[in-house]
């Protein structure tokens, strides 16, 4: 690339005022005008034969990009810094349309071998909601020809294909907007812009409907009877029973940053989860926040972060006053679970949020609510050090605790260095476990090799899970494998599950199974390894004792029937608040082998509608020592449609008479846009009498009042 362009681009980032930047940009534009054809720089062009996404065909500066100011985004999809500028590009596209003369084109130049594969790039485009055209520069031809040095780099190209300026790194939205606006003004004055549209295809249309979309992380409740899944692509957290039946959805399918009840709360690409008693902590990655799900109150609150990305490398502010950057995982730390440790991928550090007054390194005490760095300098490195804040991490993305002696440490999946690290709680010392290499600046020491310490090779691991003994499971994401360190003292790592080829398959032998960029995993108290198989939109379960694997069928059913015998997954708490009493209805009698058919009719105020994505539901219980769920219907759909009925035949040995309890919670929005929640219930006495009708229908009706 022209050395003058590099010089002016560097000066542009150092300029302290908009006027100074404007002067530099105008000088460069004037310089292009003054060049004659003999001295003009070679035009930018895409090599032939590359694969395109979000475009129905190849783009070219000699044809369909003529007359456009083009922003080329050189990125690789693993890179957190590249992710950070996507909102800037989205904002640019919202302000300037293709018809205005502005086009954004992503040029994907891979770091990892796995990132060269077009299907993997396609999944990344879908995960990140990229709508502009992207080209797979798999051999880095454009990268080399244009002398691009790092990710991310933006190259602004004029309507004749002439390179104008580069913007290197993240955090330069204002400069990007200034450059584009001045370019538009300049080329419009010379009648060099064109308002033609471009051929486009939205990859979203290729997505199959699925209960989960790119799930990132997974955890269990302390008892191991329920799973919490970060349904990242749907911007929500889903709680699932061990049989796969969804118990509730927290958040909506659209992104946002709202606290409130489950149906009101909004997340943006949540990742890491940590379940403690009646609380789930969430790393709300693209909201740059830590959220708390209160399972008793059924609500979400923000406990750290402002919703805006920060560049602070030290912290020390209180909760929601402290800016943070792309938290990717969370875990509760010892000794009394008073610190929530955070894998802060955006600043390449480990942070801590004090949930109560406590102490950590060197016995320094901090008050509840303080959020600050614990380890890592903020420089992107693979640097081990006895002093935690002199160590360097490279996009830490997974955390796991081994809280007891002789370990008493935290393991870190350090994705960009392709290594697993450990931090001792005694003094904060950071050491290598496996992967990476001795040179702290080399972040390209990746591969797929069994071995000890740095002889073992990983490729962008995103998750780790402690096996409650002395072994550690690793989500070796870009190798499409699960790996295992059998004894962390020996530091020997080997493949445990997966062939290394992306896929799903139907193998029951874990070693022969296939995964597709698994991102998170957890070991349950019962000895099962649950895996968030991200690009397969699936949850996989490995029985550690037998090394057999199954795929959990996650169900968001219209009706879910369960066996009459209660189990941990079918015992569900009442949906009714304490101040809501079930409405009694007339009792019914059935024959000796008769059944009861229940139907529910709900009427909303005129013009109202069910809240999309909210867990509107009705469920039926029979009496007993525990409330046993016999039917649950979630996601009611459109109330204008007939709601399915439920038929129940009392068991022969049932103690009659008995009373069925019907409960429902409705989330709905009024025409004004105000969203509401209403709970109601019915008590239905049932007796069994010889000679009574074999089937008795019970129709239950509820009118939701506008002012209720």
């Amino acid at each position: 690339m022209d050395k003058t362009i590099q010089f002016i681009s560097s000066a542009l980032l150092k300029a302290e005022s908009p006027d100074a930047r404007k002067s530099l940009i105008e000088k460069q534009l004037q310089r292009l005008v003054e060049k004659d054809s003999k001295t003009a720089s070679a035009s930018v062009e895409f090599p032939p034969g590359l694969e395109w996404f979000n475009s129905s065909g190849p783009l070219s500066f000699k044809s369909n990009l003529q007359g456009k100011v083009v922003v080329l985004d050189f990125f690789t999809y693993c890179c957190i810094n590249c992710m950070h500028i996507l909102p800037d590009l989205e904002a640019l596209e919202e302000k300037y349309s293709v018809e205005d003369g502005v086009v954004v084109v992503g040029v994907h130049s891979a770091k990892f071998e796995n990132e060269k594969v077009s299907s993997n790039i396609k999944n990344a485009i879908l995960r990140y909601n990229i709508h502009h055209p992207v080209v797979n520069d798999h051999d880095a031809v454009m990268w080399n020809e244009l002398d691009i040095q790092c990710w991310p780099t933006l190259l602004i190209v004029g309507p004749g294909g002439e390179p104008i300026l580069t913007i290197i790194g993240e955090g330069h939205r204002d400069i990007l907007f200034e450059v584009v606006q001045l370019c538009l003004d300049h080329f419009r004055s010379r009648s060099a812009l064109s308002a033609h549209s471009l051929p486009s295809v939205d990859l979203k249309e290729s997505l199959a409907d699925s209960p989960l979309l790119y799930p990132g992380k997974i955890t269990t409740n302390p008892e191991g009877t329920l799973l919490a899944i970060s349904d990242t692509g749907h911007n929500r957290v889903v709680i699932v029973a061990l049989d796969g039946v969804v118990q509730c959805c927290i958040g909506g399918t659209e992104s946002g940053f709202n606290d409130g009840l489950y149906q009101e709360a909004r997340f943006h690409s949540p990742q890491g989860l940590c379940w403690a008693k009646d609380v789930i902590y969430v790393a709300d990655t693209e909201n740059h926040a830590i959220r708390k799900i209160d399972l008793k109150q059924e609500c979400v609150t923000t406990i750290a972060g402002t919703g805006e990305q920060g560049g602070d490398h030290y912290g020390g502010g209180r909760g929601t006053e402290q800016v943070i950057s792309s938290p990717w995982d969370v875990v509760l730390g010892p000794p009394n679970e008073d610190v929530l440790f955070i894998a802060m991928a955006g600043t390449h550090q480990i942070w801590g949020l004090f949930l109560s007054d406590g102490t950590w390194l060197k016995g320094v005490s901090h008050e509840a609510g303080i959020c600050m760095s614990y380890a890592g300098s903020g420089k992107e490195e693979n640097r081990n050090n006895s002093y935690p804040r002199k160590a360097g991490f490279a996009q830490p993305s997974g955390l796991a605790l081994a809280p007891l002696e002789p370990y008493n440490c935290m393991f870190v999946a350090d994705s960009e260095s392709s290594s697993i690290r450990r931090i001792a709680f005694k003094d904060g010392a950071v050491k290598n476990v496996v992967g990476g290499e001795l040179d702290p600046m080399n972040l390209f020491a990746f591969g797929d090799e069994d071995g000890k310490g740095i002889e073992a090779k990983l490729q962008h691991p995103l998750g780790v899970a402690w096996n409650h003994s002395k072994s550690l499971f690793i989500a070796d994401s870009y190798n499409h494998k699960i790996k295992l360190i059998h004894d962390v003292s020996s530091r020997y790592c080997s493949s445990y599950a997966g062939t290394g080829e992306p896929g799903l398959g139907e193998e029951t032998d874990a070693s022969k199974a296939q995964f597709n960029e698994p991102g998170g995993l957890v070991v349950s108290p019962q000895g099962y390894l649950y895996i968030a198989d991200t690009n397969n939109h699936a949850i996989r379960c490995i029985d550690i004792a037998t090394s057999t694997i199954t795929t959990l069928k996650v169900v968001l059913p219209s009706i879910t029937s369960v066996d009459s015998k209660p189990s941990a997954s079918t015992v569900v708490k009442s949906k009714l608040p304490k101040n809501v009493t079930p409405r009694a209805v007339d009792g019914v009698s059935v024959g000796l082998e008769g059944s009861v058919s229940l139907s529910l009719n709900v009427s909303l105020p005129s013009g109202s509608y069910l809240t999309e994505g909210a867990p509107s539901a009705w469920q039926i219980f029979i009496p007993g020592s525990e409330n046993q769920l016999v039917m649950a219907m979630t996601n009611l759909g459109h109330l204008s449609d007939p709601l399915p009925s439920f038929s129940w035949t009392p068991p022969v040995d049932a103690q009659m008479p008995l009373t069925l309890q019907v409960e429902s919670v409705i989330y709905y929005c009024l025409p004004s846009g105000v969203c509401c929640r209403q709970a109601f219930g019915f008590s239905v006495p049932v007796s069994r009498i010889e000679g009574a009708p074999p089937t008795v229908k019970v129709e239950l009706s509820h009118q939701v009042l506008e002012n209720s």
Side-chain angles (χ1 to χ4, degrees):
M1 190 182 299
D2 191 323
K3 297 297 181 183
T4 304
I5 291 178
Q6 294 179 347
F7 175 80
I8 295 177
S9 297
S10 177
L12 187 67
L13 297 183
K14 296 176 183 177
E16 296 181 354
S17 69
D19 287 342
R21 293 195 292 268
K22 180 179 179 181
S23 176
L24 287 167
I25 299 165
E26 289 178 338
K27 285 181 180 178
Q28 172 62 1
L29 290 170
Q30 184 59 34
R31 175 176 171 269
L32 292 175
V33 172
E34 294 170 353
K35 282 187 171 185
D36 58 37
S37 59
K38 292 182 179 180
T39 59
S41 299
S43 297
V44 176
E45 191 52 275
F46 299 103
L50 300 184
E51 186 163 4
W52 286 84
F53 308 92
N54 287 334
S55 177
S56 59
L59 301 182
S60 170
F61 287 95
K62 295 178 180 178
S63 56
N64 45 21
L65 290 179
Q66 276 196 349
K68 305 295 185 185
V69 174
V70 180
V71 179
L72 296 181
D73 172 27
F74 286 85
F75 77 109
T76 184
Y77 73 77
C78 68
C79 168
I80 193 69
N81 311 94
C82 299
M83 297 178 210
H84 286 165
I85 70 166
L86 290 176
D88 300 346
L89 298 175
E90 185 176 355
L92 186 76
E93 292 175 289
E94 289 178 358
K95 183 172 182 179
Y96 305 105
S97 68
V98 173
E99 290 71 26
D100 292 332
V102 177
V103 176
V104 177
V105 177
V107 182
H108 190 274
S109 304
K111 170 185 175 179
F112 293 98
E113 288 297 317
N114 183 68
E115 293 179 305
K116 295 180 179 181
V117 181
S118 289
S119 60
N120 298 335
I121 298 172
K122 177 182 176 181
N123 276 313
I125 291 169
L126 289 166
R127 287 201 307 271
Y128 302 152
N129 288 305
I130 297 173
H131 299 288
H132 54 252
V134 175
V135 62
N136 180 8
D137 183 24
H138 51 79
D139 290 327
V141 173
M142 291 190 71
W143 174 281
N144 292 321
E145 285 184 352
L146 295 169
D147 196 24
I148 304 299
Q149 299 294 320
C150 65
W151 302 281
T153 293
L154 301 178
L155 172 61
I156 291 82
V157 182
E162 62 274 33
I164 299 172
L165 287 167
T166 59
I167 302 173
I168 298 173
E170 60 174 286
H172 306 304
R173 180 183 292 199
D174 290 346
I175 295 175
L176 172 63
F177 275 65
E178 290 168 10
V179 172
V180 170
Q181 183 60 62
L182 288 170
C183 286
L184 287 175
D185 294 342
H186 173 82
F187 291 111
R188 188 178 292 116
S189 70
R190 301 175 64 81
S191 300
L193 296 180
S194 172
H196 67 272
S197 59
L198 294 176
S200 62
V201 174
D202 191 349
L203 283 181
K204 282 286 185 182
E205 297 176 359
S206 67
L207 276 175
D209 189 22
S210 172
L212 300 177
L213 185 64
Y214 298 110
K217 299 288 185 182
I218 186 169
T219 191
T220 71
N221 63 344
E223 298 77 24
T225 56
L226 293 170
L227 305 173
I229 303 164
S230 54
D231 189 10
T232 308
H234 283 141
N235 302 292
R236 65 187 179 187
V237 175
V238 178
I239 296 179
V240 178
L242 298 185
D243 59 3
V245 176
V246 172
Q247 306 297 292
C248 65
C249 296
I250 305 165
T253 54
E254 71 281 7
S255 63
F257 186 43
N258 303 332
D259 288 347
L261 296 174
Y262 286 177
Q263 78 279 7
E264 300 166 346
R266 292 294 180 267
F267 301 91
H268 193 175
S269 301
Q271 287 285 345
L273 304 170
C274 177
W275 195 326
K277 298 181 181 177
D278 297 318
V279 170
I280 299 175
Y281 297 100
V282 184
D284 193 5
T285 303
E286 293 197 30
N287 275 327
H288 310 287
I290 303 299
R291 318 290 292 281
K292 182 177 79 170
I293 299 172
D294 188 319
L295 298 172
K296 284 189 173 181
Q297 299 299 318
E298 297 188 349
C299 67
V300 177
T301 56
T302 301
I303 58 175
T306 65
E308 299 291 332
Q309 181 196 344
D312 191 346
H313 287 157
Y314 184 78
R318 289 190 175 275
T320 53
E321 299 174 0
Q322 175 63 54
V323 292
I324 59 178
S325 181
S326 298
W328 211 274
D329 204 4
V330 286
V331 68
L332 278 174
N336 300 313
E337 297 190 342
D338 53 359
V339 177
L340 185 72
F341 285 101
I342 307 164
M344 203 70 75
T347 58
H348 312 291
Q349 294 174 299
I350 308 301
W351 280 46
L353 171 65
F354 281 86
L355 304 176
S356 59
D357 294 350
T359 61
W360 63 9
L361 299 171
K362 297 183 179 180
V364 178
S365 61
H366 296 283
E367 296 179 356
I370 295 297
C371 185
M372 61 188 300
S373 66
Y374 178 77
S377 65
K379 297 178 181 179
E380 189 174 9
E381 300 174 332
N382 180 16
R383 188 178 299 277
N384 299 301
N385 201 291
S386 297
Y387 297 94
R389 287 179 178 151
K390 291 186 178 181
F393 295 92
Q395 205 171 308
S397 301
L399 300 175
L401 251 62
L404 302 178
E405 297 294 348
Y407 306 106
N408 192 27
C409 69
M410 175 166 50
F411 295 101
V412 181
D414 201 35
S415 62
E416 282 295 286
S417 68
S418 296
S419 69
I420 305 300
R421 324 277 289 281
R422 63 186 291 177
I423 306 174
F425 286 121
K426 179 180 178 181
D427 53 12
V430 178
K431 298 180 180 180
N432 172 272
V433 182
V434 296
E437 73 148 19
L438 294 177
D439 181 359
M441 304 304 294
N442 183 6
L443 302 182
F444 287 79
F446 60 84
D448 185 9
E449 300 288 341
D450 294 351
K452 179 178 179 179
I454 61 173
E455 295 174 357
K457 289 293 177 272
L458 311 172
Q459 189 178 183
H460 198 75
L462 288 175
V464 280
W466 182 242
N467 191 23
H468 311 298
S469 55
K470 58 182 180 180
S471 58
L472 187 74
F473 287 101
I474 303 167
D476 193 5
S477 304
Y478 286 4
N479 281 324
H480 313 289
K481 286 183 176 182
I482 306 302
K483 293 189 175 177
L484 176 63
I485 304 174
H486 296 268
D487 182 346
V488 294
S489 299
S490 71
R491 299 171 61 204
Y492 186 84
C493 178
S494 61
S495 297
Y496 173 76
T499 64
E501 293 295 324
L504 184 58
E506 298 180 355
E507 292 284 348
T508 57
D509 183 341
S511 65
K512 298 178 181 178
Q514 290 179 297
F515 303 92
N516 197 333
E517 293 192 12
L521 65 180
V522 66
V523 177
S524 76
Q526 291 80 9
Y528 293 93
L529 178 66
Y530 292 96
I531 302 157
D533 195 1
T534 303
N535 285 355
N536 278 326
H537 317 294
I539 302 301
R540 318 293 291 280
C541 176
I542 297 178
D543 184 335
I544 297 174
T546 62
S547 294
T548 55
I549 185 169
T550 55
T551 299
L552 187 68
K553 186 177 181 181
V554 177
V555 182
L556 279 165
S558 57
I559 292 185
T560 301
S561 298
V562 297
D563 296 332
S564 58
K565 294 182 180 180
S567 68
S569 64
T570 61
V571 176
V572 178
K573 69 177 183 179
S574 171
K575 288 182 174 292
L576 299 184
K578 293 181 180 179
N579 61 346
V580 175
T581 301
R583 190 187 324 160
V585 299
D586 293 337
V588 296
S589 298
V590 297
L592 296 183
E593 297 180 359
S595 62
V596 179
S597 178
L598 293 173
S599 63
L600 176 65
N601 178 45
V602 181
S603 299
L604 295 177
S606 177
S608 300
Y609 54 94
L610 287 179
T611 306
E612 183 180 356
S616 296
W618 70 300
Q619 59 189 24
I620 302 171
F621 295 90
I622 61 173
S625 58
E626 295 180 304
N627 283 333
Q628 182 190 342
L629 176 70
V630 296
M631 192 282 290
M633 186 175 74
T634 59
N635 295 331
L636 288 175
H638 300 287
L639 288 177
S640 58
D641 300 332
L643 297 181
S645 61
F646 171 72
S647 182
W648 177 68
T649 301
V652 176
D653 58 352
Q655 297 296 315
M656 306 290 281
L658 53 74
T659 300
L660 297 178
Q661 181 163 306
V662 179
E663 301 180 350
S664 182
V665 176
I666 299 293
Y667 299 95
Y668 64 98
C669 294
L670 299 171
S672 63
V674 175
C675 291
C676 311
R677 173 182 185 268
Q678 186 171 125
F680 55 91
F682 304 88
S683 292
V684 184
V686 179
S687 59
R688 186 160 48 198
I689 299 176
E690 185 174 358
T695 301
V696 178
K697 295 183 178 180
V698 180
E699 296 182 357
L700 306 172
S701 298
H702 180 78
Q703 174 71 53
V704 179
L705 302 177
E706 189 163 358
N707 59 354
S708 60

